[in-house]
Structures are given as C-alpha cells and as structure tokens.
Amino acid sequence: MESTSTQPASTTPATASHASERVLEVLKASVDDAEALLKEAATATGDRAAELRERALKSLRATRETLHETQDIVLEQGRRAARATDDYVHDNPWQAVAAAGLAGLLLGLVLSGRR
C-alpha cells in the first residue's frame, strides 16, 4: 500500500497535464465545429437546418461528456494527492511542521516588505 501513496505524487502532474491538453483540444474542436455549423445554418432551411441543429447538439453532448470525464480524472487526482500528503505528514510530522513554519516565515517577510 505504500507504493500507492507515493505513486500519485509522481504521476499526477503528467496525467493532469494530459487531461488539460485533452480538454483544450476537445473544446477547440467543438468551437470550430459549432462555428462551421452556424455559418452553414445561416443559409440553410427546412430539413438541412434540422440536421445542422442535431449535429450541433451532438457536438455539444460529446464536449460535455469529455468535460465530465476530465472532471472525474482531476477529482480523483486531487483525492490521491490529498491522501499522499496526509500520509507524508503522518509519517514525517516534524518535517511538515518545519515546512509550514518556513512557509509562514517567508510569507510574513514578503508581506512585511511591501509596507
């Protein structure tokens, strides 16, 4: 089980990067598709307009599905990172206290230097 707690910390950034790239690609393709459909629908009537509407809805459904899948991936990665952090803090409490103290000290110095 220890390998599970250390694995997410090393794989999460790469997977998150891949997920965000995938979302951007899908969103770009969806916007491009919607733009083309809107241009075409501006001149279409009757059955052709209905077909274009259906294609636009299908594209939006696919985009929504991809966003939901990506959301699930990101949430799971967040849970894994939280578990890994919790495990680390429990295994190394004094290092965690020292890191938090150092972060607080640095933040205090930065904020006091602005005045």
Side-chain angles (χ1 to χ4, degrees), residues 5-22 73-74 76-78 80-81 84:
S5 65
T6 58
Q7 184 182 6
S10 63
T11 59
T12 299
T15 308
S17 175
H18 175 70
S20 63
E21 287 174 10
R22 181 174 175 224
I73 290 168
V74 170
E76 181 58 30
Q77 290 171 349
R80 287 180 184 172

Side-chain angles (χ1 to χ4, degrees), residues 35-107:
E35 183 180 16
L37 290 171
L38 287 173
K39 286 179 182 178
E40 199 173 332
T43 59
T45 59
D47 290 341
R48 182 70 181 145
E51 177 189 342
L52 292 172
R53 243 188 332 270
E54 184 58 36
R55 284 177 50 200
L57 288 173
K58 184 178 177 182
S59 177
L60 289 173
R61 280 187 218 111
T63 302
R64 182 180 299 137
E65 183 178 320
T66 301
L67 288 173
H68 286 298
E69 290 171 0
T70 303
Q71 178 183 9
D72 292 342
I73 290 168
V74 170
L75 287 173
E76 181 58 30
Q77 290 171 349
R79 286 185 202 107
R80 287 180 184 172
R83 273 192 301 257
T85 301
D86 186 54
D87 290 345
Y88 179 82
V89 170
H90 284 282
D91 292 343
N92 305 293
W94 290 112
Q95 288 177 346
V97 168
L102 181 60
L105 177 67
L106 291 174
L107 183 61

